[in-house]
Amino acid sequence: MIKCWSKEETLWSFALYGTAVGAGTLFLPIQLGSAGAVVLFLTALLAWPLTYWPHKALCQFILASKAGDQQDGITSAVRQFFGKKIGNLISILYFVAFFVVILIYAVAITNSLAEQLARHQVVGEGTRVLLSLGVVATLNLIFLTGRHVTIKVMGFLVFPLIAYFLFLSVYLSSHWQPSLLTSGLTYTPDTLHDIWFSIPVMVFAFSHTPIISTFSVAQREKYHDQAMAKCKKIMKVAYLIICLSVLFFVFSCFMAIPAEDVEIAKTQGLTILSALSMMSSSAGWLSASGIIVAVVAMSKSFLGTYFGVIEGATQVVSSTAQFAGFNPGPKLSRGLSLAIVSLFTFIVCCINPNALSMIYAISGPLIALILFIMPTLSTWLVPALRPYRSVANFLVLVVGLLCVSVMFFK
């Protein structure tokens, strides 16, 4: 039996926390701040179950498969349950979902820097092109230092970033205007629309799908039949801390930052820290530190996702070349994938699509398809997963379908 709380459980809780709390946390207050107090309170009620239930279902999905491919828990489980074709389809969707995530981060980093630069000079098309090139080149240079160095740096940054978010939440409490909450507690014809369109952003902000494979497989290797019990124990604690800290940050921003500044940031594809710097009462050090933290947080999340994206792109390049009768080596395939992804990222940064619109239309729905729909729907389709059928799983499936529907109606 699993009884006491161990050091290993603490480390895994920190790992889940550090993966979940990052750049996505900076977009959630923008969406909820513009959607209103009703949507904010509804999100507060649903945050823990809609973080815990889907990630638990994904753990169950992975652990119900036979131990085999230790490096890719999700896709190997899909291949076992649904066959190679569906497995390949899920792999492609997984790649696309997180490819869009790195585009969102790269665009948001460029926008944050451009917004600061615009305070001192006019930012024209030529300046934006150079800025986009600098952002993509810098991120790739960090990436090329190697996985070990990059992950070590990212791990080092986790705690200062979390500490800053908590400090900012407390600091903003001196600027709270409770009337912003109470005056917004009214139902309007747009409320249901705002709730619907906030679902993808919430999915995006709280999702940390890539680490779930590693987490689940690690527990299975050590605890075997007790792995799911161990996963649930760690996740319950980690997600409670995640939800409380993120919601404290969101509520603090909502009651301190004027709605007009939030709307400007949303229109320009900026994060909540950029909206904070727009406040007339914002201290100079707070504006400067906010932009630095926003760029560092998004760069950390970009690099954390970039490894998986490049690996997926390398497989796509290699398979496409082999289909065309050309057999490139691993180094050439990786080099080509890095060049193609970097070029596409640079072009998107120059075009500057709205970051939240990309979350609504692509990233949020695709993540929901993998995290909310696939593992819960499988409890009705896969015999090995039938014991996991529950009302909670059904509700997660419904929310996932609502999230995916935004892709078709936005």
Side-chain angles (χ1 to χ4, degrees):
M1 294 294 291
I2 301 169
K3 295 181 180 179
C4 61
W5 188 263
S6 65
K7 180 181 177 181
E8 180 200 8
E9 290 166 330
T10 301
L11 292 174
W12 271 115
S13 297
F14 281 146
L16 294 175
Y17 190 104
T19 310
V21 178
T25 309
L26 300 177
F27 286 104
L28 189 61
I30 292 288
Q31 173 61 29
L32 299 183
S34 60
V38 173
V39 181
L40 179 61
F41 277 107
L42 184 63
T43 301
L45 290 173
L46 298 177
W48 189 84
L50 291 185
T51 303
Y52 174 64
W53 289 345
H55 288 94
K56 182 188 74 171
L58 189 57
C59 276
Q60 291 169 342
F61 181 82
I62 294 167
L63 292 175
S65 64
K66 296 178 182 177
D69 186 353
Q70 300 298 323
Q71 301 299 318
D72 199 1
I74 295 175
T75 52
S76 69
V78 173
R79 289 190 183 101
Q80 285 185 38
F81 293 140
F82 299 111
K84 187 176 180 180
K85 289 184 179 179
I86 300 296
N88 290 337
L89 176 62
I90 294 296
S91 297
I92 292 170
L93 292 175
Y94 193 86
F95 165 70
V96 172
F98 291 100
F99 183 29
V100 175
V101 168
I102 70 165
L103 297 179
I104 291 168
Y105 292 148
V107 169
I109 292 169
T110 306
N111 286 345
S112 295
L113 294 173
E115 190 263 336
Q116 286 297 301
L117 192 60
R119 299 184 180 194
H120 307 285
Q121 66 179 68
V122 176
V123 178
E125 289 184 8
T127 306
R128 175 143 193 123
V129 169
L130 291 174
L131 197 57
S132 301
L133 182 62
V135 167
V136 175
T138 302
L139 290 169
N140 273 292
L141 284 174
I142 298 171
F143 174 77
L144 291 172
T145 59
R147 180 185 292 270
H148 178 72
V149 174
T150 305
I151 290 176
K152 190 174 181 180
V153 172
M154 287 165 53
F156 175 76
L157 291 173
V158 165
F159 292 105
L161 288 173
I162 293 170
Y164 184 86
F165 286 142
L166 293 175
F167 163 76
L168 190 59
S169 302
V170 174
Y171 176 83
L172 288 176
S173 63
S174 62
H175 299 273
W176 283 359
Q177 301 177 53
S179 60
L180 292 175
L181 274 180
T182 55
S183 63
L185 289 174
T186 55
Y187 180 84
T188 69
D190 294 328
T191 299
L192 286 177
H193 178 273
D194 289 334
I195 292 171
W196 182 32
F197 274 70
S198 295
I199 293 173
V201 184
M202 190 172 73
V203 169
F204 178 84
F206 286 102
S207 168
H208 45 280
T209 309
I211 200 175
I212 294 299
S213 282
T214 306
F215 173 60
S216 303
V217 170
Q219 304 314 309
R220 177 165 60 189
E221 286 178 345
K222 188 168 184 179
Y223 297 100
H224 308 290
D225 293 340
Q226 292 287 312
M228 193 61 230
K230 191 75 169 180
C231 287
K232 289 195 292 185
K233 181 183 178 184
I234 295 170
M235 292 165 82
K236 283 178 181 178
V237 174
Y239 295 160
L240 180 62
I241 299 171
I242 288 168
C243 291
L244 288 176
S245 59
V246 170
L247 289 171
F248 179 40
F249 177 69
V250 171
F251 270 86
S252 195
C253 291
F254 188 93
M255 289 191 288
I257 302 175
E260 55 268 24
D261 291 335
V262 174
E263 283 293 343
I264 292 171
K266 182 179 180 180
T267 303
Q268 296 180 3
L270 301 171
T271 68
I272 194 64
L273 295 182
S274 293
L276 177 62
S277 70
M278 296 175 191
M279 290 171 57
S280 57
S281 60
S282 181
W285 67 266
L286 191 57
S287 299
S289 65
I291 295 302
I292 292 170
V293 168
V295 171
V296 170
M298 289 185 288
S299 298
K300 180 183 76 70
S301 296
F302 177 97
L303 292 166
T305 310
Y306 203 44
F307 284 105
V309 169
I310 294 300
E311 288 170 7
T314 301
Q315 292 179 4
V316 172
V317 168
S318 180
S319 299
T320 304
Q322 289 175 8
F323 182 76
F326 177 60
N327 189 20
K331 288 186 177 180
L332 180 58
S333 295
R334 185 176 174 81
L336 285 172
S337 67
L338 189 61
I340 293 168
V341 170
S342 297
L343 178 61
F344 197 84
T345 305
F346 167 68
I347 292 170
V348 171
C349 284
C350 292
I351 296 172
N352 188 23
N354 187 275
L356 278 173
S357 293
M358 293 171 75
I359 295 173
Y360 295 146
I362 307 173
S363 186
L366 286 181
I367 291 172
L369 185 64
I370 296 165
L371 178 62
F372 281 64
I373 296 176
M374 182 188 71
T376 53
L377 186 61
S378 298
T379 61
W380 277 269
L381 301 176
V382 178
L385 291 166
R386 284 176 185 168
Y388 296 121
R389 289 180 185 175
S390 65
V391 175
N393 273 358
F394 179 74
L395 292 175
V396 169
L397 176 61
V398 171
V399 172
L401 292 172
L402 287 172
C403 185
V404 171
S405 68
V406 175
M407 178 187 287
F408 300 102
F409 290 95
K410 174 60 178 172

